Amino acid sequence: MSSSYGNNIRLTIFGQSHSDAIGVTMEGLPAGSAVDLEELQRFLSRRAPGRNAWSTPRKEADAPEILCGLKNGVTCGAPFTAIIRNTNTRSGDYAPFADTPRPGHADYTAAVKYNQANDPSGGGHFSGRLTAPLCIAGGICLQLLAREGITVRARIRSIGNVTDDSPFISPVSGLDFPAVSPEAAKAMQELIEAARQDQDSVGGVVECIVEGCPVGLGDPMFDGMENRIAAIVFGIPAVKGLEFGAGFHASCLRGSENNDPFIIENGHVAAASNNAGGILGGITNGMPIVFRAAFKPTPSISKQQQTVNLKTGENAVLSITGRHDPCIVPRAVPVVEAAAAIAVYDALLDYKKYRS
Amino acid sequence: MSSSYGNNIRLTIFGQSHSDAIGVTMEGLPAGSAVDLEELQRFLSRRAPGRNAWSTPRKEADAPEILCGLKNGVTCGAPFTAIIRNTNTRSGDYAPFADTPRPGHADYTAAVKYNQANDPSGGGHFSGRLTAPLCIAGGICLQLLAREGITVRARIRSIGNVTDDSPFISPVSGLDFPAVSPEAAKAMQELIEAARQDQDSVGGVVECIVEGCPVGLGDPMFDGMENRIAAIVFGIPAVKGLEFGAGFHASCLRGSENNDPFIIENGHVAAASNNAGGILGGITNGMPIVFRAAFKPTPSISKQQQTVNLKTGENAVLSITGRHDPCIVPRAVPVVEAAAAIAVYDALLDYKKYRS
Amino acid sequence: MSSSYGNNIRLTIFGQSHSDAIGVTMEGLPAGSAVDLEELQRFLSRRAPGRNAWSTPRKEADAPEILCGLKNGVTCGAPFTAIIRNTNTRSGDYAPFADTPRPGHADYTAAVKYNQANDPSGGGHFSGRLTAPLCIAGGICLQLLAREGITVRARIRSIGNVTDDSPFISPVSGLDFPAVSPEAAKAMQELIEAARQDQDSVGGVVECIVEGCPVGLGDPMFDGMENRIAAIVFGIPAVKGLEFGAGFHASCLRGSENNDPFIIENGHVAAASNNAGGILGGITNGMPIVFRAAFKPTPSISKQQQTVNLKTGENAVLSITGRHDPCIVPRAVPVVEAAAAIAVYDALLDYKKYRS
Amino acid sequence: MSSSYGNNIRLTIFGQSHSDAIGVTMEGLPAGSAVDLEELQRFLSRRAPGRNAWSTPRKEADAPEILCGLKNGVTCGAPFTAIIRNTNTRSGDYAPFADTPRPGHADYTAAVKYNQANDPSGGGHFSGRLTAPLCIAGGICLQLLAREGITVRARIRSIGNVTDDSPFISPVSGLDFPAVSPEAAKAMQELIEAARQDQDSVGGVVECIVEGCPVGLGDPMFDGMENRIAAIVFGIPAVKGLEFGAGFHASCLRGSENNDPFIIENGHVAAASNNAGGILGGITNGMPIVFRAAFKPTPSISKQQQTVNLKTGENAVLSITGRHDPCIVPRAVPVVEAAAAIAVYDALLDYKKYRS
């Protein structure tokens, strides 16, 4: 179903940007697992808006209220549901877009698909705000994975044409701007600021690395790790491209360059390179899973844009005056981690059913 | 499940490269639809090997035997199953790879995942040969889509560093080498031939365009058209990247450049550009769906490669002497069409349930 | 997944008897459908406890709070979520059952399955209280079905050995005790009262009839109407048997007795009898769907019972002093209607995708 | 999907009674498991027709041809597919039923559902013949379960009004007529023979018992063991009722009678009775799973029956002259075992993912 994901842990995300609440239900969490709510809150705060110059000034505490599924802070085997109240909504900002759909948004497609009954306020169910419940689910999976020795971390790989090619060694989750190289980070922020001043926006690429997976996660054909990760990452608004390991660049290589030679390392099978991004035949090979997701520039810009008036059937212009991120990529970093954690943890449960 | 795909038409692909047969079952085909078996065979022949210099000399007729699901050439509502016998197998070619896994292949990951019980001959279930039943399913969906006014066509966009930027106006399905520009096609073939002579291989990119979709196909979040297409396209062996519309390039654009302005065209809503690749919020907007899939170079190369011996736990070298394509991209073109057709037709059935 | 149901409308039920809230999310509701909340509340009130002698004195308003999915009272295409706060909980009542599981309840199986991390208060996620969100989902489906000319109604067919064989002509939804024959109703109530006075409980059978379905709902083998209804009805706590049409009695008939002769009636195909319960080959035949669900007696009784102490590993006795229904069958009647409505509406959407 | 079943092992059944072949694909079998093909054949033979007086004289070897999924007789991780060729078909027998649907069969509902494109020969996909591939899948699951100490066995509980109340201690799989009591078996056979001589048929009840399950199989609400078993058992043609443990009779009991007291037995928790049929809250409690499925009498009878002519819209009569079982219950016994084995093994894999 459209807002559900997972074979084993099954999450369902609900809510519109301006409905009473948004939230998530997760089925299939292992019973008896403590959930560290403070750690979860710290993770959610990395995504929350309103903290700095490049994010929307809409302030939301993003503090989840847990309705069920925990007993004394520990999963009890029943579905887990958490909600976040929508308190700081200004639906009036969106009134005009019912008739004049915003370019780059789902206003038009949702209006047609849902027979004009859709909720356009704040983008409705299509809003980036729905990544908050995704992060609740992902934050819990991150905790579960950590106990299995599996870590997930993402970083900004590029903003516009500024790329950070530094090796991704130390984590960036503690940084306000999660790029590895301070120089690249500075150039990226300048690019974002320039776009903002031009009443415009800019896109970028997030890179994610998952370490510690056993050999054997993922399944052939349509349930490989690439398929699983793609099926959730393309659920993050604004993602328009995804690649694993060498990715698109692999199409420019020869087989002798792209194949990762197997080697014995410390008595174990490893690979001398990781163009495969840790995945062969859809299945993890013990090397880190590496993928990159391309984010288009925020479609909401203050600059005047051309659109149509659905009522009159005539061309029209519009300016978007609401509160918007000139670049969503920094806030998307924990969202990508959340998505990856969910996909990997779900695959891990599939793996486990044949290991006991 | 790993070898199944689809919400409404549900296909399950079975078989190993060297098992008695490979095949596909499709549930959910609409009853009463004629299947043109000659047209289907022509489509399958575009994928079949052994026809030219850049494909493996393994000759397979790829003639499907239909076991059930049709009555007098018309779908009867029961599951459709077709098989292809594996007649031209040379399993001996693969005997060494059980112990010394081929770099870039699933030999190693499958051996670990399946406790050494996997079938390594010809890559087993991970073989590119399994794209033949995918094409049977896709070929049928192509016929069903055509009756709804929806067309799907793909082309080689690049081989190695040679890119064909010609607009994709006329179809290339009738060409032996399915690129648009004859000049680019020539340069691409030279690149493939050079790789072959070096006992090496080369990758490339396939671009696919789907025209005629109504506004409203696809669903939010995890069942958007991007998610659906990704979930099947990453099931094609060797795909390591996927992008829609402007894709990765969109990350370098500003919002004012990337947003597709809505316009009134012939009295209908259209877009002045198509950076979105026909998809907004996961839902088709009436513009063509456009996506590109990156294929890594064929991992099977005759050149000597480094690997390990799983039995002795020591480093080893191997040369792959079987029959292999120096570039699989030309044969992958109809496979990408098949995958896209399945994803779109399945989404069309989801769409229809709210239209009657 | 365990607490999810449906191919097209997908509902997920969450909550424990004593968690902060219980609720339901429904995906796939058709956009643009008005939901009559007063009618929904009336339906929910038929299930709510505390209204009469044969139900638990635990009073719950069962007033749903709708978090999302409606816009001005109309479905907007986004998932619908409603919750009910648990206000009147007395978890202390259940403290002893963590160690001495109640016979006939899930206390023991849940404790073992969930490694003693389960929430035993009030039965946790296994509580009959979770039928309230099922009724929210079912109440909405009842409204949607009514607009398609399909009605669903259930009645008490038997309590203990008292059976009501009156033809099910007029609805009983307005009755406090939903049996057709007033004489039978009186005898049933006396049986319940006798059980209550003996600190005991009693079971019964609910019969449900669905009228107005088109010919063609349901699919062969594992998605037939019987399978679909069974998959949801066995999710109602205490159901231990289910039969369609003549059901178990059909096993005592000869083919010439059990087969329903086809006849032409008012120019249409009908059947002269309905031993099939409206379903042939899993598919509706235009006659009313008729099924009966057998409910075991409420396992919670005040009478002393034998159990074990899981901590000491010794036999033990227990008396259940909480608030319980001496017979849940009267309150189960709308729950069965809800379950049937969900199953039928979901099948209707599958049907529709081949009708446009 | 309609002809698929299972969360972990996913089986898809294909074929029509008179198509070239019928068969089954199973995904998710654990790799490295030997399949004893002779034992499988013995199991299939218990279902095969043509062996005695009470089954159809249509003789089918029912010898499966395994297309893929095994390597040297051992599961290799790839999907398993086996087919059975339809060799002994006499489609001409069924020609009249396209216009005059047989009462009690799916002829009419399939014709309407599939727009007259359905395959009525031999009942098409609705034929009891499709239980042969179900038995292939079930036979493999029986072998896998046996290695985990879990056994599944069924028996004829009743034919018409003749019931066999003998305790089900010793297996009956070796018997030509699988009832426990020889006296009951004799009376049952006489009943069948009488029906046959009257050109009529008779129904019955199959009882199944599953022993050796760990505590904890099955999940709450819609994935409980009752739901899982019901979802597959109602896929067996002619099943119209299903009950667990005391079943419908439980509705006549008081709680104090129906509740199974927990006791300590040999140091373990057990129950003093088994009215629950081994299932509490949808989850196995360590006692045997016990269920009974009611089969309607074979709808195909030689006696003249009333029907309608779909072409002329007038009442009509028909006599069925093909080859049919006067009672399918004896042959249904292994089919019920197969269905139970699949449901239990699938639940076991769900259980295992939380045990490693």
Side-chain angles (χ1 to χ4, degrees):
Chain A
M1 293 298 294
S2 86
S3 303
S4 295
Y5 178 87
N7 296 338
N8 301 297
I9 46 156
R10 182 87 187 165
L11 62 95
T12 305
I13 290 176
F14 51 85
Q16 300 117 252
S17 186
H18 292 184
S19 61
D20 283 355
I22 58 177
V24 63
T25 294
M26 294 180 84
E27 293 184 81
L29 287 172
S33 302
V35 174
D36 184 330
L37 295 176
E38 291 185 13
E39 188 182 328
L40 179 63
Q41 188 60 64
R42 278 193 298 276
F43 179 68
L44 295 178
S45 298
R46 289 174 53 203
R47 194 211 72 91
R51 296 173 306 141
N52 46 43
W54 49 83
S55 75
T56 164
R58 172 177 173 179
K59 283 198 199 332
E60 296 278 4
D62 275 4
E65 178 190 357
I66 293 166
L67 297 182
C68 56
L70 296 188
K71 173 107 183 149
N72 304 324
V74 172
T75 55
C76 67
F80 168 94
T81 298
I83 62 171
I84 301 174
R85 294 281 170 182
N86 284 323
T87 52
N88 191 359
T89 58
R90 302 200 329 220
S91 294
D93 286 355
Y94 294 86
F97 311 139
D99 292 341
T100 52
R102 296 168 297 167
H105 275 287
D107 297 348
Y108 172 62
T109 53
V112 176
K113 181 175 187 72
Y114 300 124
N115 307 312
Q116 272 71 41
N118 65 308
D119 177 3
S121 299
H125 190 55
F126 299 86
S127 167
R129 177 142 180 76
L130 274 295
T131 57
L134 186 69
C135 282
I136 296 174
I140 292 174
C141 289
L142 283 167
Q143 295 186 20
L144 295 171
L145 286 172
R147 289 167 209 169
E148 311 258 356
I150 300 174
T151 58
V152 179
R153 57 204 169 89
R155 63 149 165 180
I156 303 175
R157 184 62 193 268
S158 67
I159 297 290
N161 288 312
V162 179
T163 300
D164 179 1
D165 282 329
S166 320
F168 190 6
I169 295 168
S170 48
V172 295
S173 57
L175 300 180
D176 205 31
F177 192 90
V180 173
S181 148
E183 293 74 30
K186 187 161 176 291
M188 290 170 175
Q189 291 176 60
E190 286 167 1
L191 211 64
I192 296 172
E193 178 57 19
R196 195 185 64 78
Q197 293 195 358
D198 292 349
Q199 304 190 306
D200 214 332
S201 64
V202 65
V205 172
V206 173
E207 182 176 70
C208 185
I209 183 165
V210 184
E211 289 167 296
C213 291
V215 182
L217 297 193
D219 293 270
M221 303 214 78
F222 310 117
D223 238 358
M225 285 314 305
E226 287 116 335
N227 310 252
R228 290 165 180 261
I229 290 172
I232 190 166
V233 166
F234 277 113
I236 305 172
V239 172
K240 296 300 277 191
L242 178 65
E243 61 180 8
F244 294 85
F248 273 85
H249 182 60
S251 73
C252 300
L253 298 176
R254 283 191 163 192
S256 58
E257 297 168 312
N258 185 64
N259 284 349
D260 303 309
F262 289 113
I263 54 169
I264 298 293
E265 201 174 69
N266 303 324
H268 293 98
V269 176
S273 56
N274 192 17
N275 288 319
I279 305 169
L280 288 172
I283 301 170
T284 53
N285 67 358
M287 299 293 289
I289 298 175
V290 178
F291 70 87
R292 283 173 297 283
F295 286 78
K296 69 179 183 184
T298 320
S300 290
I301 54 175
S302 308
K303 239 182 193 169
Q304 185 171 295
Q305 295 184 84
Q306 187 174 343
T307 183
V308 296
N309 186 310
L310 297 175
K311 276 216 178 118
T312 64
E314 291 174 342
N315 288 317
V317 292
L318 98 168
S319 293
I320 302 175
T321 52
R323 303 159 295 175
H324 308 287
D325 296 14
C327 183
I328 57 158
V329 177
R331 289 177 56 205
V333 166
V335 179
V336 170
E337 290 176 359
I342 292 163
V344 171
Y345 189 71
D346 194 55
L348 183 65
L349 288 177
D350 270 326
Y351 169 87
K352 285 191 173 195
K353 66 190 179 206
Y354 299 108
R355 300 286 150 181
S356 76
Chain B
M1 293 299 292
S2 86
S3 303
S4 295
Y5 177 87
N7 296 337
N8 301 297
I9 45 154
R10 182 86 187 167
L11 61 95
T12 304
I13 291 177
F14 50 86
Q16 300 118 249
S17 186
H18 292 182
S19 60
D20 283 355
I22 59 176
V24 64
T25 294
M26 294 180 85
E27 294 183 81
L29 288 172
S33 302
V35 174
D36 184 330
L37 294 176
E38 291 185 13
E39 187 182 329
L40 179 62
Q41 188 61 63
R42 278 192 299 274
F43 179 68
L44 295 178
S45 298
R46 288 174 54 205
R47 193 213 71 92
R51 297 173 307 140
N52 46 41
W54 50 81
S55 76
T56 166
R58 172 178 173 177
K59 283 198 197 333
E60 298 276 4
D62 275 2
E65 178 191 357
I66 294 166
L67 297 183
C68 55
L70 297 187
K71 173 106 184 150
N72 304 325
V74 171
T75 55
C76 66
F80 168 94
T81 298
I83 62 172
I84 302 174
R85 294 280 171 183
N86 283 323
T87 52
N88 190 0
T89 59
R90 298 196 337 215
S91 294
D93 286 355
Y94 294 86
F97 309 140
D99 293 340
T100 52
R102 295 168 298 168
H105 275 287
D107 298 349
Y108 171 63
T109 54
V112 174
K113 183 176 186 71
Y114 299 126
N115 306 312
Q116 271 72 40
N118 65 307
D119 178 2
S121 299
H125 190 55
F126 298 86
S127 168
R129 178 143 179 74
L130 273 294
T131 57
L134 186 69
C135 282
I136 296 173
I140 292 174
C141 289
L142 283 166
Q143 295 186 20
L144 295 171
L145 286 173
R147 290 168 207 166
E148 310 259 355
I150 299 173
T151 58
V152 179
R153 56 203 169 91
R155 62 148 165 180
I156 302 174
R157 183 63 192 268
S158 68
I159 297 289
N161 288 310
V162 179
T163 299
D164 179 1
D165 282 328
S166 320
F168 191 7
I169 295 166
S170 49
V172 296
S173 58
L175 301 179
D176 204 30
F177 192 90
V180 173
S181 149
E183 294 73 30
K186 187 161 177 291
M188 290 170 177
Q189 291 176 61
E190 287 166 1
L191 210 64
I192 295 171
E193 178 59 18
R196 195 185 63 78
Q197 293 195 357
D198 293 347
Q199 304 191 304
D200 214 332
S201 63
V202 66
V205 172
V206 173
E207 183 176 69
C208 185
I209 184 165
V210 184
E211 289 167 298
C213 292
V215 182
L217 297 193
D219 294 270
M221 303 214 76
F222 311 117
D223 239 357
M225 285 314 304
E226 288 117 334
N227 310 253
R228 291 166 178 262
I229 290 171
I232 190 166
V233 166
F234 276 113
I236 305 172
V239 171
K240 297 300 278 189
L242 178 66
E243 61 179 10
F244 294 84
F248 273 85
H249 182 58
S251 73
C252 301
L253 298 177
R254 283 192 163 191
S256 58
E257 298 167 311
N258 185 64
N259 284 349
D260 303 310
F262 290 112
I263 52 169
I264 298 292
E265 199 175 70
N266 302 324
H268 293 98
V269 176
S273 56
N274 193 17
N275 290 319
I279 305 168
L280 287 173
I283 301 170
T284 54
N285 67 358
M287 299 292 288
I289 299 175
V290 178
F291 69 87
R292 283 172 297 281
F295 286 78
K296 69 179 184 183
T298 321
S300 291
I301 54 177
S302 308
K303 238 183 194 170
Q304 185 171 295
Q305 296 184 84
Q306 187 175 341
T307 184
V308 295
N309 187 309
L310 297 176
K311 275 215 179 119
T312 64
E314 292 173 341
N315 288 316
V317 293
L318 98 168
S319 292
I320 301 174
T321 53
R323 303 159 295 177
H324 307 287
D325 297 15
C327 184
I328 57 161
V329 177
R331 291 177 57 207
V333 166
V335 179
V336 170
E337 291 176 359
I342 293 163
V344 171
Y345 189 70
D346 194 55
L348 183 65
L349 288 177
D350 270 325
Y351 169 87
K352 285 189 173 195
K353 65 190 178 205
Y354 299 108
R355 299 287 150 181
S356 77
Chain C
M1 294 299 292
S2 85
S3 303
S4 295
Y5 177 87
N7 296 337
N8 302 297
I9 45 153
R10 182 85 186 166
L11 62 96
T12 304
I13 290 177
F14 50 85
Q16 300 118 248
S17 186
H18 292 182
S19 60
D20 283 355
I22 58 177
V24 64
T25 294
M26 294 180 85
E27 295 183 80
L29 288 172
S33 302
V35 174
D36 183 331
L37 294 177
E38 291 185 14
E39 187 181 329
L40 179 61
Q41 188 61 63
R42 278 193 298 275
F43 179 67
L44 295 178
S45 298
R46 287 174 54 205
R47 193 212 72 91
R51 297 174 307 142
N52 47 42
W54 50 82
S55 76
T56 165
R58 171 177 173 179
K59 284 201 198 330
E60 298 276 5
D62 275 3
E65 179 191 356
I66 294 166
L67 298 183
C68 56
L70 297 188
K71 174 107 183 150
N72 304 326
V74 172
T75 55
C76 67
F80 168 93
T81 298
I83 62 172
I84 302 174
R85 294 280 171 183
N86 284 323
T87 51
N88 190 1
T89 59
R90 300 198 332 218
S91 294
D93 286 356
Y94 294 85
F97 310 139
D99 292 341
T100 52
R102 295 169 297 167
H105 275 287
D107 298 347
Y108 171 63
T109 54
V112 175
K113 183 176 186 72
Y114 299 125
N115 306 312
Q116 271 72 40
N118 65 307
D119 178 2
S121 299
H125 190 56
F126 298 86
S127 167
R129 176 141 180 77
L130 273 293
T131 57
L134 186 69
C135 282
I136 296 173
I140 293 174
C141 289
L142 283 166
Q143 295 186 20
L144 295 171
L145 286 173
R147 290 168 208 167
E148 311 259 357
I150 299 174
T151 58
V152 180
R153 57 202 168 93
R155 63 149 165 180
I156 303 175
R157 183 63 193 269
S158 67
I159 297 290
N161 287 310
V162 179
T163 300
D164 179 0
D165 283 328
S166 319
F168 191 6
I169 296 167
S170 49
V172 296
S173 58
L175 301 179
D176 204 31
F177 191 90
V180 173
S181 148
E183 294 73 30
K186 187 161 176 291
M188 289 170 175
Q189 291 175 61
E190 287 167 0
L191 211 63
I192 295 171
E193 177 59 18
R196 195 185 63 77
Q197 293 195 356
D198 293 348
Q199 304 190 304
D200 214 333
S201 63
V202 66
V205 171
V206 173
E207 184 176 69
C208 185
I209 182 165
V210 184
E211 289 168 297
C213 291
V215 182
L217 297 194
D219 293 87
M221 302 213 77
F222 310 117
D223 239 357
M225 285 314 304
E226 287 116 334
N227 311 250
R228 290 166 179 261
I229 290 171
I232 190 166
V233 167
F234 277 113
I236 304 172
V239 172
K240 296 301 277 189
L242 179 65
E243 61 180 8
F244 294 84
F248 273 85
H249 182 59
S251 73
C252 301
L253 298 176
R254 283 191 164 191
S256 58
E257 298 168 310
N258 185 64
N259 284 350
D260 303 309
F262 289 112
I263 53 169
I264 297 293
E265 200 174 70
N266 303 324
H268 293 97
V269 176
S273 55
N274 193 16
N275 289 319
I279 305 169
L280 287 172
I283 301 170
T284 53
N285 67 358
M287 299 292 288
I289 299 176
V290 178
F291 69 87
R292 283 173 297 283
F295 286 78
K296 69 178 184 184
T298 320
S300 291
I301 54 176
S302 308
K303 238 181 194 171
Q304 186 171 294
Q305 295 184 84
Q306 187 175 342
T307 184
V308 295
N309 186 310
L310 296 176
K311 274 215 180 118
T312 64
E314 292 173 341
N315 289 317
V317 292
L318 97 167
S319 292
I320 301 174
T321 53
R323 303 159 295 176
H324 308 288
D325 296 15
C327 183
I328 57 160
V329 177
R331 291 177 55 206
V333 166
V335 179
V336 169
E337 290 177 0
I342 293 163
V344 171
Y345 189 71
D346 194 55
L348 184 65
L349 288 177
D350 270 325
Y351 169 87
K352 286 189 172 194
K353 65 190 179 205
Y354 299 108
R355 299 286 149 180
S356 77
Chain D
M1 294 297 292
S2 85
S3 302
S4 295
Y5 177 86
N7 296 338
N8 300 296
I9 46 155
R10 182 87 186 165
L11 61 95
T12 305
I13 290 177
F14 50 86
Q16 300 117 250
S17 186
H18 293 183
S19 60
D20 284 355
I22 57 176
V24 64
T25 294
M26 294 179 84
E27 294 183 81
L29 288 172
S33 303
V35 174
D36 183 331
L37 295 176
E38 291 185 13
E39 188 181 328
L40 180 62
Q41 189 60 65
R42 279 193 297 276
F43 179 68
L44 295 177
S45 298
R46 289 173 54 203
R47 194 213 70 92
R51 296 173 307 140
N52 46 42
W54 50 83
S55 76
T56 165
R58 172 177 173 179
K59 282 196 198 335
E60 296 278 4
D62 275 2
E65 178 190 357
I66 293 166
L67 297 183
C68 56
L70 297 187
K71 173 108 183 149
N72 304 325
V74 172
T75 55
C76 67
F80 168 94
T81 298
I83 62 171
I84 301 174
R85 294 282 172 181
N86 284 323
T87 53
N88 190 0
T89 59
R90 299 196 336 215
S91 294
D93 286 355
Y94 295 86
F97 310 139
D99 291 342
T100 53
R102 295 169 298 167
H105 276 286
D107 297 349
Y108 171 62
T109 53
V112 175
K113 183 176 186 71
Y114 299 125
N115 307 313
Q116 272 71 41
N118 64 308
D119 177 3
S121 298
H125 190 55
F126 299 86
S127 167
R129 177 143 180 75
L130 274 294
T131 57
L134 186 69
C135 282
I136 296 174
I140 292 174
C141 289
L142 283 167
Q143 295 186 20
L144 295 171
L145 286 173
R147 289 167 209 168
E148 311 258 357
I150 299 174
T151 59
V152 179
R153 57 204 168 89
R155 63 150 165 180
I156 302 174
R157 184 63 193 268
S158 67
I159 297 290
N161 288 310
V162 179
T163 299
D164 179 1
D165 282 328
S166 319
F168 190 7
I169 295 168
S170 48
V172 296
S173 57
L175 302 178
D176 204 30
F177 191 89
V180 173
S181 148
E183 293 73 31
K186 188 161 175 290
M188 289 170 176
Q189 291 176 60
E190 286 168 1
L191 211 64
I192 296 172
E193 178 58 20
R196 195 184 65 77
Q197 293 195 357
D198 292 349
Q199 304 190 307
D200 213 331
S201 64
V202 65
V205 172
V206 173
E207 183 177 68
C208 185
I209 182 164
V210 184
E211 289 168 295
C213 292
V215 182
L217 297 192
D219 293 87
M221 302 214 76
F222 311 117
D223 238 358
M225 285 313 305
E226 286 117 336
N227 310 252
R228 290 166 179 260
I229 289 171
I232 190 167
V233 165
F234 277 113
I236 305 172
V239 172
K240 296 301 276 189
L242 179 65
E243 61 180 8
F244 294 84
F248 272 84
H249 182 59
S251 73
C252 300
L253 299 176
R254 283 192 164 191
S256 58
E257 297 167 311
N258 185 64
N259 284 350
D260 302 309
F262 289 113
I263 53 170
I264 298 292
E265 200 175 67
N266 303 323
H268 293 97
V269 176
S273 56
N274 193 17
N275 289 320
I279 305 169
L280 287 173
I283 301 170
T284 53
N285 67 358
M287 299 293 289
I289 299 175
V290 178
F291 69 87
R292 283 173 297 282
F295 286 78
K296 70 179 183 184
T298 320
S300 291
I301 54 177
S302 307
K303 239 181 193 169
Q304 185 171 296
Q305 295 183 84
Q306 186 174 344
T307 183
V308 295
N309 187 308
L310 296 176
K311 276 214 178 119
T312 65
E314 292 174 341
N315 289 317
V317 293
L318 97 168
S319 292
I320 302 174
T321 54
R323 303 159 296 177
H324 307 288
D325 296 14
C327 183
I328 57 159
V329 178
R331 290 176 57 206
V333 167
V335 179
V336 170
E337 291 176 0
I342 292 163
V344 171
Y345 189 70
D346 194 54
L348 184 65
L349 288 177
D350 270 325
Y351 169 87
K352 285 189 174 195
K353 66 190 180 206
Y354 298 108
R355 300 286 148 181
S356 77

